[in-house]
Amino acid sequence: MLMKRRSMLAALFLLTLPLAAQQKVKSVRLYVFDCGKLKSGNPAPLLERGITTTDMSVEAFLIVHPRGTLLWDAGVIPDELVKPEGTVEARATVSTTLKGQLAAIGYKPADITYLALSHNHYDHSANGNAFAGSTWLVQRPERAFMFPDTPPATPINQSARWSELRNSKTIILDGDYDVFGDGSIVIVSTPGHTPGHQSLLVNLKKTGPVVLSGDLYHYPAERELKDFTPFSNLGDAAQETVSKAKVEALLKQKHAKLWIQHDIVADAKLRKSPGYYD
Ligand SMILES: [Zn+2]
């Protein structure tokens, strides 16, 4: 009787578990999270070149692999400040939390094996601290910039939102990195925008290969108009040009699609979590 009740309880317990986290996936899944919108800080040069939609999307992604999970980027406003009716902070508007979107598919921060930020900027790293328990995948020069030996006189804007990553279990990268060791998920080193900026190649069975841009590009026009580099002032322009050429060659070689994370027009057409790409 006791055994029977126990097994019934076990069955009930299993039924109530959120599906995704408990299912061992057989192939890679890519979930897209809506992390809000960002107004352009300087729309004039964009408008001059015919870019009439200057607002930007903010995205984060969860990759679920048979051997673990990877969160790519971490939003623009920390979840604690996000109200259901929407929160505006400077140029950003957010109305859905990252942790809420993870929970809806059965994940909590403790379930995230790896955290990788495309780069440290505030619009990609706002929930960094929430994932300090994951293993952080970061390029050596990016970490050195984020946590310099001698703290800068003026601290990096919003650095308190990711400061706990300093003590995270960390894998320091010196270039490209095959996250799960099977070639399916590869961090592509694309410095320039920041010292250790990175992009992500995700090989999906049905969808095909996709490269998540980080901020290598902000608008598709940056690819078409070769002389149009409205963000080159933010980092090392020469390095960024080399990184763009590297990714363009990779896209060609793999027949991969480029997903520009800030491209709000493309973002509107993406399937959002709880749907996924596989
Ligand atoms: Zn950005």
Side-chain angles (χ1 to χ4, degrees):
M1 185 63 193
L2 184 67
M3 276 296 285
K4 200 175 170 195
R5 184 185 293 169
R6 191 177 291 167
S7 61
M8 269 174 65
L9 278 174
L12 267 175
F13 179 64
L14 279 173
L15 278 173
T16 56
L17 286 175
L19 277 177
Q22 310 309 325
Q23 282 175 350
K24 260 277 196 196
V25 296
K26 293 204 178 78
S27 60
V28 174
R29 286 182 184 184
L30 174 63
Y31 290 90
V32 185
F33 299 131
D34 168 7
C35 288
K37 277 182 196 163
L38 200 55
K39 287 233 166 286
S40 168
N42 183 18
L46 306 169
L47 293 166
E48 265 166 33
R49 297 302 296 261
I51 298 154
T52 49
T53 308
T54 59
D55 283 1
M56 294 183 266
S57 49
V58 181
E59 300 170 338
F61 301 85
L62 180 71
I63 288 103
V64 182
H65 183 281
R67 279 177 228 156
T69 51
L70 164 67
L71 181 71
W72 178 257
D73 280 347
V76 62
I77 295 178
D79 284 352
E80 306 81 76
L81 302 180
V82 176
K83 300 186 198 108
E85 67 272 23
T87 294
V88 178
E89 187 184 75
R91 294 189 282 116
T93 308
V94 177
S95 52
T96 44
T97 64
L98 182 53
K99 284 195 267 321
Q101 292 178 81
L102 279 168
I105 51 168
Y107 294 88
K108 51 188 185 306
D111 299 321
I112 306 306
T113 320
Y114 299 109
L115 169 71
L117 304 173
S118 58
H119 61 301
N120 72 82
H121 287 170
Y122 75 99
D123 57 317
H124 297 258
S125 58
N127 287 293
N129 286 344
F131 300 91
S134 305
T135 296
W136 185 30
L137 305 176
V138 62
Q139 300 290 333
R140 189 180 300 276
E142 194 75 359
R143 194 186 183 284
F145 175 80
M146 292 166 77
F147 300 113
D149 292 337
T150 317
T154 331
I156 306 169
N157 192 19
Q158 310 290 25
S159 60
R161 294 177 173 181
W162 43 254
S163 58
E164 289 172 28
L165 295 177
R166 177 191 277 276
N167 301 314
S168 291
K169 190 177 164 201
T170 302
I171 299 179
I172 292 181
L173 310 180
D174 290 303
D176 298 352
Y177 182 71
D178 180 353
V179 178
F180 294 100
D182 62 356
S184 62
I185 310 297
V186 181
I187 288 180
V188 183
S189 169
T190 48
H193 186 65
T194 60
H197 182 279
Q198 49 193 10
S199 305
L200 189 71
L201 171 65
V202 183
N203 285 297
L204 296 165
K205 271 216 171 92
K206 285 189 209 150
T207 310
V210 171
V211 172
L212 307 180
S213 63
D215 279 4
L216 184 66
Y217 297 99
H218 296 69
Y219 297 95
E222 289 166 81
R223 291 182 77 193
E224 294 141 23
L225 312 167
K226 295 294 175 202
D227 61 333
F228 179 59
T229 54
F231 300 93
S232 56
N233 61 318
L234 286 179
D236 182 326
Q239 218 178 24
E240 190 175 280
T241 302
V242 173
S243 291
K244 282 177 175 166
K246 174 182 175 176
V247 164
E248 293 296 340
L250 179 71
L251 293 169
K252 224 176 196 176
Q253 183 213 333
K254 301 271 181 197
H255 303 285
K257 296 186 194 88
L258 178 69
W259 288 7
I260 297 176
Q261 295 179 212
H262 282 312
D263 180 358
I264 200 165
V265 177
D267 171 82
K269 294 179 199 143
L270 284 184
R271 189 183 307 149
K272 300 289 169 3
S273 184
Y276 58 84
Y277 291 87
D278 62 355

